[in-house]
Amino acid sequence: MFKLVSSIFKPTPAPIVPVTRELLQKRHHLCSNLGHIYKTQLDLLNNTLPNELLNEIPILKYYTEFSSQYLDQLKELNNTDFNNIEYTEEKFQSLITKQLDSKVLELEVLNSKIQPDDLKSLDDNYSNDIDSFFFHFHSNRIAASFELKEYLYEKPLLQVYNAKSVLDQAIKTTSRMLSLNDYPIPKFKPIETIDSNLKVYCISPHAVHIMFELFKNATLPSITKNQPIMINISIDKNDSNSIIFEIKDNGGGMPESMIEKIWQFHYTTTKANDRDPIHGFGMGLPLCKVFAEFNDGSLDLVNKPGEGVTIYFKVPKGIEKV
């Protein structure tokens, strides 16, 4: 996938974590939630789509092939005596880290199988049922990853963050990733003075990922027209409990034929020879919508032909506890 910058650190021995009653309850909570998600995913993969559709559209079959993985992981949870105080925390964390790694690799596995003809056959036969299948698959996948990370990380992922800090992190991430992959870096310009006191309640890495995708999409039209990407953060005028990140390019807008399909999973205008780690798999905007809804937010797009595209990313307002 993306080129990454890594550093080498001298490893230090991990401390032994004592297994307490509270820790056993935490394990039980995780395994109960994961078990529900995995069963939901298995039902989706095994019972949602008819066999004739799977045979006609290879991409759908690539998805249903994950059924064996989810079944193995469910059995792994059921066969693990995680309620036993003798079952060390180091062993339990190793088990769930392995499951988390598999979730991270699912998109990479999918993209390695997809061929140009697969994308065309899906586009020709796309339907609301197929869209719902993709949406729920990725919602379940993200939910499983969230549960695993919540257990492994010390701080909760879902919390109050400074909105401007999240935006700044997204700009920094975008500039870094574009530069590492030999893409030009766009300029960013506030639409108005940004209130640095606004806060959001979300999973910050999700919000950063969403804005990275939106910035990435706005890069080429903005640079082509020699225009900055316009940004803003404001309280939603129609909902005082929501914050809106506004991202606008002045790249001329998109044709209406494209607007009809931009939220469609695996729809791409990138040619096969131009596919790279950043473009060509048709997962950017659809996955952004999944991430947004997972954070109780939304994405809305306004296209003005001849002018540009504006996207409004809404998330709940963060309220600090007194």
Side-chain angles (χ1 to χ4, degrees), residues 81-149:
D81 193 10
F82 56 83
N83 283 317
N84 188 339
I85 200 166
E86 300 298 325
Y87 190 85
T88 68
E89 181 62 7
E90 290 71 29
K91 189 174 180 179
F92 182 74
Q93 288 194 12
S94 176
L95 181 151
I96 63 174
T97 297
K98 184 180 70 173
Q99 293 203 358
L100 177 59
D101 290 343
S102 72
K103 298 290 165 285
V104 174
L105 288 173
E106 284 182 23
L107 286 183
E108 187 173 333
V109 170
L110 282 170
N111 290 343
S112 69
K113 295 180 179 180
I114 294 173
Q115 302 299 316
D117 288 345
D118 299 335
L119 294 170
K120 185 178 186 308
S121 67
L122 176 62
D123 187 30
D124 290 342
N125 295 278
Y126 207 81
S127 66
N128 289 335
D129 287 341
I130 291 175
D131 186 77
S132 178
F133 170 82
F134 286 141
F135 185 88
H136 285 97
F137 174 87
H138 289 292
S139 294
N140 292 333
R141 180 178 62 82
I142 290 168
S145 295
F146 173 77
E147 293 291 341
L148 290 161
K149 290 175 182 176

Side-chain angles (χ1 to χ4, degrees), residues 162-214:
N162 180 276
K164 188 176 183 303
S165 295
V166 174
L167 176 63
D168 290 342
Q169 182 61 46
I171 292 173
K172 181 179 178 180
T173 299
T174 302
S175 300
R176 178 172 174 267
M177 297 305 289
L178 291 174
S179 177
L180 283 172
N181 288 275
D182 301 320
Y183 276 80
I185 300 174
K187 295 179 181 178
F188 297 89
K189 182 179 179 181
I191 295 173
E192 58 187 46
T193 302
I194 293 177
D195 185 348
S196 60
N197 294 316
L198 293 177
K199 291 180 170 52
V200 290
Y201 183 65
C202 66
I203 302 168
S204 179
H206 287 183
V208 169
H209 173 80
I210 290 170
M211 286 189 279
F212 161 70
E213 287 289 342
L214 301 180

Side-chain angles (χ1 to χ4, degrees), residues 21 87-88 146 175 245 271 303 317:
R21 183 177 297 276
Y87 190 85
T88 68
F146 173 77
S175 300
F245 293 92
K271 296 180 180 179
N303 179 52
K317 183 179 179 181

Side-chain angles (χ1 to χ4, degrees), residues 245-303:
F245 293 92
E246 181 179 351
I247 299 169
K248 177 182 180 182
D249 68 57
N250 292 294
M254 292 186 286
E256 289 301 318
S257 58
M258 188 184 299
I259 290 294
E260 296 174 0
K261 295 186 175 184
I262 57 170
W263 301 111
Q264 180 176 306
F265 286 89
H266 296 293
Y267 170 74
T268 180
T269 57
T270 304
K271 296 180 180 179
N273 294 336
D274 295 330
R275 282 173 59 175
D276 60 26
I278 292 184
H279 294 99
F281 297 99
M283 293 294 285
L285 280 179
L287 272 184
C288 284
K289 180 163 276 192
V290 178
F291 277 118
E293 294 195 16
F294 189 79
N295 285 268
D296 289 330
S298 63
L299 282 178
D300 293 294
L301 183 148
V302 176
N303 179 52

